């Protein structure tokens, strides 16, 4: 009889909190702040708190996940954990936010190098935002590889990066 009983589902141990996302796309937990995709600013979400991570869900879907910051010191203001991808929608409306925005301090090195080159040109903010937005439609590693190849060739422009990206995606050698 024992072999006919279904296996119990593994225990999914989390504590769930109803939260409202701030206008700056953050949810607060234990003096810390975690970013949420910009489309959920000012909206209710469910925050699932696990021992090592937090998961944000809304409308029946998982929105994002962050490593959980546990800091028992009471003399600090807490930490803010950003994912720059969560702010792409904001950037598309306000490209200038890229220059000093805290969420963009952690961009991958190739993106930061490209940003330094593009910001020296008129319209560089907008062009950089358009390159970052490529990760919404393409694999992020492929976009990064295209940016690195464009930087190496000395042709750091959105047009060249798109050309290299499409060659990479089509399996053709980069020029």
């Amino acid at each position: 009889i024992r072999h006919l009983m279904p296996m119990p589902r593994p225990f999914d141990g989390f504590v769930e909190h109803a939260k409202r996302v701030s206008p700056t796309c953050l949810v607060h937990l234990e003096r810390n702040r975690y970013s949420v995709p910009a489309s959920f600013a000012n909206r209710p979400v469910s925050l699932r708190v696990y021992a090592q991570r937090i998961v944000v869900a809304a409308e029946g879907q998982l929105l994002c996940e962050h490593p959980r910051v546990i800091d028992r010191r009471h003399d600090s203001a807490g930490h803010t954990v950003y994912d720059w991808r969560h702010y792409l929608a904001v950037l598309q409306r306000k490209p200038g936010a890229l220059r000093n925005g805290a969420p963009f301090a952690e961009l991958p090195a190739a993106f930061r190098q490209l940003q330094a080159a593009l910001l020296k040109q008129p319209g560089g903010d907008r062009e950089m935002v358009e390159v970052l937005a490529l990760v919404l439609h393409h694999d992020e590693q492929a976009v990064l590889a295209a940016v690195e190849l464009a930087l190496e060739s000395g042709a750091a422009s959105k047009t060249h990066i798109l050309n290299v990206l499409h060659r990479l995606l089509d399996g053709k050698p980069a020029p």
Side-chain angles (χ1 to χ4, degrees):
I1 263 247
R2 185 167 175 83
H3 67 280
L4 298 175
M5 292 175 58
M7 290 290 293
R9 288 195 1 225
F11 176 68
D12 193 17
F14 62 84
V15 175
E16 193 157 20
H17 299 279
K19 297 280 187 177
R20 179 166 287 281
V21 179
S22 76
T24 53
C25 312
L26 299 169
V27 289
H28 295 255
L29 175 72
E30 301 165 342
R31 291 194 338 270
N32 298 313
R33 294 154 304 283
Y34 299 88
S35 69
V36 175
S39 56
F40 285 87
N42 297 310
R43 292 172 57 191
V45 294
S46 170
L47 192 63
R48 298 175 185 171
V49 183
Y50 293 84
Q52 304 295 322
R53 63 192 170 112
I54 64 138
V55 175
V56 182
E59 300 170 2
Q61 64 179 341
L62 298 181
L63 303 180
C64 62
E65 183 176 317
H66 290 286
R68 183 176 172 193
V69 176
I70 298 175
D71 183 358
R72 301 283 181 226
R73 294 177 306 151
H74 293 282
D75 59 347
S76 73
H79 302 273
T80 303
V81 180
Y82 291 111
D83 181 334
W84 60 270
R85 297 158 201 85
H86 294 163
Y87 294 88
L88 286 172
V90 174
L91 277 183
Q92 289 172 319
R93 291 191 311 272
K94 297 179 179 176
L98 186 58
R99 288 179 185 261
N100 302 314
F104 309 105
E106 301 300 316
L107 282 175
F111 285 152
R112 285 199 316 273
Q113 197 178 343
L114 176 66
Q115 182 181 8
L118 290 179
L119 292 186
K120 294 174 185 161
Q121 305 165 13
D125 283 326
R126 166 101 20 228
E127 196 165 331
M128 183 65 199
V129 169
E130 290 169 0
V131 170
L132 288 176
L134 291 172
V135 303
L136 297 172
H137 308 289
H138 302 286
D139 176 68
E140 186 174 323
Q141 293 308 313
V143 175
L144 274 169
V147 168
E148 288 168 359
L149 289 166
L151 287 166
E152 285 171 20
S153 74
S157 71
K158 182 189 82 171
T159 307
H160 187 67
I161 290 164
L162 274 170
N163 188 354
V164 172
L165 177 63
H166 289 297
R167 286 176 166 275
L168 288 172
L169 296 174
D170 292 342
K172 296 176 184 154

